[in-house]
Amino acid sequence: MSVDDVARIKTQLLESNPLLEAFGNATTLRNDNSSRFGKYMEMQFSRVGTPIGGRITNYLLEKSRVVGRAQGERSFHVFYQMLAGLAEGDLREWRITRDPSTFSYLAQSGMYKVATINDEKDYKGVVRAMGLLGIAAKDQTVLWRVLAAILHLGNIQFAEDGASSSTGQPSVRVKDDKVLQNVAHCLACQPKALATALTSRSISTGTSRRVSTINVPLDSVQAVYSRDALAKSLYERLFQWIVTKVNTNIQCPDPDVQRPLVIGILDIYGFEIFERNSFEQLNINYCNEKLQQLFIELTLKSEQEEYVREGIKWEEIKYFNNKPICDLIEKKPIGIIALLDEACLMAKSTDTTFLDQISHNFKANPHYQSYQSTNDRSLGDTSFRLKHYAGDVTYDVAGFLDKNKDTLFVDLIAAMQTSPLPMMGEMFPEVRSADNKKRPETAGTQFRTAVNALIATLLSCSPHYIRCIKSNDKKQAGVIDDARVRHQVRYLGLLENVRVRRAGFANRQTYERFLQRYKLSVPSTWPAWRGPPKSGCEAILAHFKVPPAEFRLGKTKVFIRNPNTLFMFEETRGRDLPRIATLIQKIYRGYVVRSRWQERKAAIRIQNFYRKHKFRRYFVQLNKAFQLIKSDPQWGKTVKWPVHPSLLGHGVTLLHKVHNTWRAVQMVKQLGPDADEVRQKVLAQDIFGGRKPWDLRRRYEADYLEKPSNPYHQKYVQAMQRLFSTYGDTEVLFAEYVVKINARDKIEKRGIVVTNANIYKHDPKNYKVKKIGIPLVDVMGLSLSPYRDTFMLIHLRPPLRDLLIDLGANGHESFSEMATILYNTVFKLTGRQIPVNIVSQITYNNGRPKNQDFTLTFQEDPKVQASTFKNVKSHVNCILYPPK
């Protein structure tokens, strides 16, 4: 269920109370808001404790209050609320006034206003409750119409109309047709049919095709009875319609909920003793007798029987057992209700003959008294007295038979069925077939059945009692009538209950439950007691040094006399629970951690075995794949590696590198004299691959100036001999003609020689060394562009100026060869890897004054055939290079 459904059901359960109180409560001499019906409300809860629905069962609505009541009392609240709260337009529509005294049914008792009740405010609450409980606005309108019709019914008077022409019996007619029209207007029925039903009745004789109907006129007394019967029936059926509608709306909306948890609240009338007690009081007091019997069975009797059953020494406490009075009223076939039903079946029976019959049957019963059986003239000729548990009550049998028959003539039902209002159709269903001779249940039998069903329901629950003590009969606060309070305490059986409780034991528990609950507080019973539960309970009692007078050990239970002893057990248990809970948590957490660790260890061990197996299998497969690698011309280049386990990914990558390195070594070994050149080109690829175009196919010949093709070959050889003897260099690593950009941004052709220690610049004609050589240890880095030019900038350690040269002056690029020579030689001399920068714009120091930075840019120019230096402006130079 959604949160909205739960909130709606909560609201409806709460709002059902003021609605039912409006229609079922009234002001009596002793109570301004007395319940004149019994109500059992079941509140249904889900397994998590949220309300999910409910159901209401009503018992014995005092419908006779509609047509009459004692002086100083009021009819049901809703009549006065309607007159006070209805809008003026509705009052005119239903032809009623706000003055209750204008209605005979309300004027009988002379009580209209109650100081503690605000009828207009309560009317608004009733309307709000009906809306929340799903009663549609159109049904609310019909509801007010029916109530208005009941008030108009009470104003119908009858006049003698002479003897009937068909039967010769006296007949009556409605004295004021206007009042009749008002009733018919409110009920939307036919006035003529209503008038006929009120003043006569139809009697059917025979069966099937031989059935015939006789129309019998009513005298004035019978007509008044017929009118009042219709008013009572209308109100009772309206009340039952409201209860049904409420149940429809508060029932659990979820059909999937199985066996919901139920809390039932029984709110029923209390014991009643009035100046004149009639059939309604007999039923009410009978219901209270049954509830008192249940109370006795569940408390006094059951408790004392438990002591005897458990073998506890016990002196029985006497209490009033009301089972005989319940049997007197309800027993079959000889009981007051059964004899009343029998009298209702006999045509010649009267209230007096009924009294004679029960007096004859119960004259020897100690709980029954009448004038016929006792000659006690205080009882009167039409009364009998029952000795109830709450006291003696005298009942007047006048009207008993009529009230028990609860007869509503078929003609009246048929008249109501002429109404087109759907709600009236629900209140008055189809009339019984004339062939149906089954005896209808009387009001007494219906009530007895309902009460027994209620008792069965209560027995299936765990009942708890709330006893209401009325302090006085004057409806005054702060006033205690000692005699009234003592009487209620006595007839509610509270004295006997207290005596049993005081003489008995406040608490009793089975040995198993007592031991389970309190064993944690005693070292000898915690954590587990190995012996019988009874011995464990004795050990607990001994540990707490409970005096023998404070407990008894029965056959299956331990009985604790004083509540303080139980409180002591509970307080000790409450103090020990955190310690025990902590201990249990510690042990459980340790167990969980150990279990998880053992599981993890097992998993790791399994994983290790499995991984070793996978690794071993992989290396076996790898060894098999590379078994003939040494004889392979390509040294395993085309060998397909087996699929490796994912955990070996990094290791396999390293194996690939090892294999590639070994394969490269094998390939280099086969190179012979070209091995150094290949290594140099591999380094060039590492430096320039993907960064700058260079010529991989050109052979690296190192010393190009020593070749015979050089016209100044002889001069170059002599110059190198002088240089080696002068500066101590031992080897020429690279020599080539280049174009050098001097400090004045002028182009100069020079021979560049890289030895094992220095860089020398020579005049290309006489090979005279220009200045002194540049130590290779002062080379700080190289810069080149990412384009097709052949310029290279050698960054030198300050204060030396950077060296900008074009290594493509001889028709091929030589920057890759010289760069790798410089890279390797500087690393050998210093252990430092010089950076090789590939950038589109270079900043360098090659001007005057010294340490002045220049900017070198690069630009593609289709007009040039080779890389060309161009001075753009001061301190900005540009290299033009041809397109591809």
Side-chain angles (χ1 to χ4, degrees):
M1 292 181 65
S2 66
V3 176
D4 292 339
D5 287 336
V6 172
R8 176 181 60 80
I9 290 172
K10 283 182 179 179
T11 303
Q12 288 179 337
L13 289 173
L14 292 173
E15 290 296 333
S16 65
N17 193 58
L19 176 60
L20 294 180
E21 280 192 356
F23 283 85
N25 287 23
T27 298
T28 65
L29 295 174
R30 295 178 180 175
N31 192 338
D32 288 347
N33 188 33
S34 175
S35 295
R36 308 318 298 163
F37 74 106
K39 177 179 69 175
Y40 180 69
M41 173 182 279
E42 287 184 350
M43 292 183 291
Q44 300 166 348
F45 296 85
S46 68
R47 295 292 169 178
V48 295
T50 56
I52 58 175
R55 184 175 178 274
I56 296 173
T57 305
N58 62 297
Y59 301 94
L60 192 64
L61 175 69
E62 189 189 14
K63 59 185 178 181
S64 62
R65 180 167 290 271
V66 174
V67 300
R69 68 212 65 87
Q71 284 294 317
E73 296 187 347
R74 292 207 313 176
S75 186
F76 293 102
H77 292 323
V78 70
F79 289 111
Y80 307 94
Q81 294 171 359
M82 177 182 70
L83 297 181
L86 272 179
E88 292 294 338
D90 293 331
L91 292 174
R92 289 193 298 270
E93 174 67 22
W94 314 132
R95 304 171 184 176
I96 55 179
T97 65
R98 295 199 187 278
D99 185 4
S101 64
T102 59
F103 302 102
S104 176
Y105 280 160
L106 301 183
Q108 291 180 9
S109 54
M111 170 64 71
Y112 309 114
K113 296 286 185 180
V114 180
T116 59
I117 296 177
N118 186 333
D119 292 318
E120 184 176 0
K121 179 182 177 182
D122 291 344
Y123 167 82
K124 295 177 181 178
V126 168
V127 172
R128 183 186 68 254
M130 286 193 290
L132 291 172
L133 288 164
I135 299 179
K138 62 179 182 179
D139 289 336
Q140 294 182 34
T141 301
V142 176
L143 187 146
W144 301 124
R145 291 178 66 164
V146 173
L147 292 176
I150 293 172
L151 294 180
H152 286 307
L153 266 175
N155 288 347
I156 290 180
Q157 302 295 324
F158 300 98
E160 298 290 340
D161 197 26
S164 170
S165 58
S166 59
T167 62
Q169 295 180 356
S171 62
V172 295
R173 60 176 175 83
V174 177
K175 183 182 293 186
D176 188 348
D177 286 337
K178 183 178 179 182
V179 179
L180 180 69
Q181 292 288 341
N182 291 342
V183 177
H185 170 71
C186 291
L187 297 177
C189 63
Q190 298 295 326
K192 184 176 180 180
L194 178 61
T196 302
L198 288 172
T199 57
S200 64
R201 61 174 294 197
S202 298
I203 299 178
S204 297
T205 61
T207 59
S208 301
R209 295 181 179 179
R210 297 182 179 181
V211 68
S212 60
T213 303
I214 301 173
N215 194 26
V216 179
L218 304 178
D219 59 25
S220 58
V221 175
Q222 293 171 331
V224 169
Y225 174 84
S226 177
R227 178 201 67 189
D228 291 347
L230 177 60
K232 291 186 290 183
S233 181
L234 277 170
Y235 193 81
E236 181 186 37
R237 292 169 187 247
L238 178 63
F239 184 79
Q240 186 57 49
W241 182 90
I242 292 172
V243 172
T244 303
K245 183 65 72 172
V246 170
N247 282 336
T248 301
N249 284 278
I250 67 174
Q251 67 181 355
C252 178
D254 189 352
D256 296 331
V257 176
Q258 300 293 330
R259 297 177 60 84
L261 302 175
V262 175
I263 294 179
I265 299 177
L266 177 64
D267 179 11
I268 203 161
Y269 18 64
F271 204 88
E272 292 188 349
I273 305 177
F274 296 135
E275 291 294 329
R276 181 181 181 277
N277 302 286
S278 186
F279 179 73
E280 292 81 8
Q281 279 68 49
L282 176 65
N283 282 312
I284 289 172
N285 294 340
Y286 160 63
C287 178
N288 278 272
E289 287 284 1
K290 294 291 288 185
L291 293 174
Q292 178 67 10
Q293 184 183 16
L294 178 67
F295 173 72
I296 291 172
E297 291 287 340
L298 295 177
T299 56
L300 304 178
K301 183 179 179 181
S302 62
E303 182 160 351
Q304 296 194 84
E305 288 178 349
E306 183 178 25
Y307 294 146
V308 175
R309 187 168 57 250
E310 288 290 325
I312 303 298
K313 186 177 180 181
W314 175 257
E315 183 178 347
E316 185 176 0
I317 294 176
K318 300 297 183 181
Y319 57 86
F320 183 87
N321 186 355
N322 67 338
K323 187 177 186 306
I325 191 70
C326 291
D327 292 340
L328 173 64
I329 298 173
E330 69 176 359
K331 191 174 182 180
K332 297 179 181 180
I334 304 298
I336 291 177
I337 293 178
L339 293 174
L340 181 59
D341 288 349
E342 183 180 334
C344 290
L345 288 175
M346 302 176 66
K348 294 183 179 181
S349 291
T350 63
D351 295 330
T352 303
T353 60
F354 163 68
L355 178 62
D356 293 340
Q357 187 179 13
I358 60 175
S359 297
H360 173 72
N361 282 279
F362 303 131
K363 59 184 178 182
N365 193 305
H367 298 282
Y368 176 87
Q369 291 180 347
S370 68
Y371 172 72
Q372 291 86 341
S373 63
T374 62
N375 292 323
D376 184 355
R377 294 197 173 275
S378 63
L379 289 171
D381 295 337
T382 61
S383 302
F384 67 92
R385 180 182 296 142
L386 295 181
K387 293 182 175 294
H388 291 283
Y389 76 94
D392 296 350
V393 181
T394 301
Y395 298 97
D396 189 342
V397 298
F400 259 52
L401 267 64
D402 288 338
K403 291 177 180 180
N404 188 50
K405 290 177 183 178
D406 197 22
T407 305
L408 182 66
F409 297 143
V410 173
D411 307 77
L412 291 171
I413 297 176
M416 295 300 100
Q417 289 175 336
T418 63
S419 173
L421 300 174
M423 183 170 158
M424 291 295 293
E426 295 174 21
M427 291 168 55
F428 291 90
E430 291 292 330
V431 186
R432 289 195 314 152
S433 170
D435 292 340
N436 187 357
K437 300 301 183 180
K438 183 179 179 181
R439 171 188 172 187
E441 279 194 337
T442 61
T445 299
Q446 292 177 15
F447 187 70
R448 178 180 60 192
T449 303
V451 168
N452 287 328
L454 172 64
I455 297 300
T457 301
L458 296 178
L459 283 172
S460 66
C461 306
S462 299
H464 301 269
Y465 293 90
I466 299 175
R467 293 300 191 182
C468 300
I469 305 296
K470 192 173 181 63
S471 59
N472 63 82
D473 292 334
K474 299 178 181 179
K475 307 177 189 176
Q476 293 181 358
V479 176
I480 303 295
D481 184 340
D482 292 344
R484 167 60 65 186
V485 171
R486 277 196 301 271
H487 174 71
Q488 294 174 83
V489 169
R490 183 175 64 254
Y491 82 66
L492 288 174
L494 298 183
L495 293 176
E496 293 87 347
N497 198 17
V498 170
R499 282 201 295 269
V500 170
R501 291 295 182 184
R502 291 183 63 182
F505 297 87
N507 181 266
R508 73 289 316 274
Q509 299 181 47
T510 62
Y511 291 132
E512 293 78 8
R513 187 178 187 279
F514 186 85
L515 176 62
Q516 184 66 28
R517 187 165 183 82
Y518 302 116
K519 67 179 183 178
L520 58 87
S521 300
V522 180
S524 62
T525 57
W526 176 258
W529 174 256
R530 302 300 180 187
K534 183 175 181 180
S535 300
C537 295
E538 291 174 339
I540 294 172
L541 294 168
H543 175 81
F544 284 100
K545 299 179 181 179
V546 179
E550 287 296 318
F551 70 91
R552 292 288 186 275
L553 298 176
K555 295 178 180 178
T556 62
K557 296 180 180 179
V558 57
F559 294 79
I560 305 298
R561 185 182 300 278
N562 196 328
N564 291 331
T565 304
L566 188 67
F567 297 156
M568 180 265 295
F569 283 136
E570 288 294 328
E571 289 172 1
T572 306
R573 181 177 183 271
R575 289 194 303 268
D576 291 338
L577 271 177
R579 173 180 60 82
I580 299 300
T582 304
L583 177 62
I584 293 173
Q585 287 175 347
K586 180 183 74 173
I587 295 173
Y588 178 72
R589 287 171 180 167
Y591 163 76
V592 169
V593 171
R594 283 191 299 274
S595 299
R596 289 177 180 173
W597 171 240
Q598 293 297 332
E599 291 174 0
R600 187 175 179 185
K601 279 174 63 178
I604 291 172
R605 191 171 184 184
I606 293 171
Q607 287 174 350
N608 285 338
F609 277 110
Y610 182 70
R611 286 170 182 165
K612 287 177 182 179
H613 166 71
K614 294 275 285 186
F615 296 167
R616 196 177 299 112
R617 187 174 67 175
Y618 171 74
F619 286 115
V620 169
Q621 293 172 349
L622 187 64
N623 181 57
K624 186 176 180 181
F626 282 87
Q627 215 166 21
L628 304 175
I629 191 173
K630 290 185 178 180
S631 59
D632 185 358
Q634 294 184 322
W635 298 287
K637 179 181 180 181
T638 59
V639 172
K640 185 177 180 181
W641 290 57
V643 179
H644 63 272
S646 57
L647 286 176
L648 283 178
H650 181 64
V652 171
T653 301
L654 295 177
L655 284 176
H656 276 280
K657 289 183 177 180
V658 169
H659 172 249
N660 290 334
T661 303
W662 175 82
R663 183 169 165 269
V665 169
Q666 300 304 314
M667 292 172 65
V668 170
K669 284 181 179 179
Q670 286 198 344
L671 291 176
D674 296 332
D676 291 339
E677 180 183 357
V678 172
R679 289 191 180 93
Q680 197 172 350
K681 286 187 177 181
V682 170
L683 178 59
Q685 175 62 23
D686 290 341
I687 295 174
F688 300 111
R691 303 173 69 194
K692 182 175 178 63
W694 64 287
D695 190 358
L696 173 65
R697 294 170 297 178
R698 187 181 68 80
R699 289 189 63 84
Y700 289 175
E701 298 180 4
D703 193 349
Y704 296 91
L705 299 183
E706 191 181 13
K707 297 174 71 174
S709 58
N710 180 10
Y712 304 104
H713 167 72
Q714 190 63 36
K715 291 182 178 181
Y716 167 74
V717 173
Q718 294 172 358
M720 288 300 101
Q721 291 173 353
R722 289 193 301 271
L723 185 144
F724 285 174
S725 62
T726 303
Y727 298 107
D729 297 83
T730 59
E731 183 182 5
V732 175
L733 301 178
F734 178 80
E736 177 66 296
Y737 287 121
V738 300
V739 173
K740 170 184 174 293
I741 310 302
N742 65 17
R744 299 182 182 84
D745 290 336
K746 299 299 181 182
I747 297 174
E748 296 177 341
K749 188 173 182 180
R750 289 285 183 266
I752 195 84
V753 177
V754 179
T755 68
N756 61 307
N758 298 286
I759 301 174
Y760 296 97
K761 295 174 286 183
H762 289 82
D763 186 323
K765 293 182 180 180
N766 54 23
Y767 284 96
K768 182 181 179 180
V769 176
K770 305 299 282 185
K771 298 186 179 180
I772 193 171
I774 302 171
L776 288 177
V777 295
D778 289 336
V779 176
M780 305 308 294
L782 306 175
S783 290
L784 301 94
S785 78
Y787 309 116
R788 297 178 55 79
D789 65 285
T790 53
F791 275 82
M792 182 172 72
L793 184 68
I794 302 173
H795 297 282
L796 302 175
R797 191 189 310 272
L800 297 175
R801 291 195 298 269
D802 296 340
L803 179 61
L804 178 59
I805 56 176
D806 179 7
L807 288 159
N810 298 312
H812 60 265
E813 69 85 7
S814 300
F815 64 81
S816 60
E817 184 177 0
M818 182 177 179
T820 55
I821 293 295
L822 293 175
Y823 188 91
N824 282 331
T825 307
V826 172
F827 181 75
K828 289 178 181 179
L829 294 173
T830 65
R832 174 168 50 87
Q833 292 180 338
I834 60 174
V836 180
N837 305 310
I838 310 295
V839 292
S840 58
Q841 182 173 298
I842 302 172
T843 301
Y844 67 101
N845 176 22
N846 190 36
R848 289 179 178 165
K850 293 181 179 181
N851 300 324
Q852 181 67 43
D853 286 342
F854 280 65
T855 300
L856 184 65
T857 61
F858 301 84
Q859 182 178 344
E860 185 180 46
D861 190 346
K863 296 179 182 181
V864 300
Q865 300 297 319
S867 299
T868 305
F869 177 81
K870 179 183 178 182
N871 180 248
V872 180
K873 57 182 178 179
S874 178
H875 299 98
V876 177
N877 298 319
C878 180
I879 305 297
L880 303 177
Y881 60 91
K884 185 175 180 181

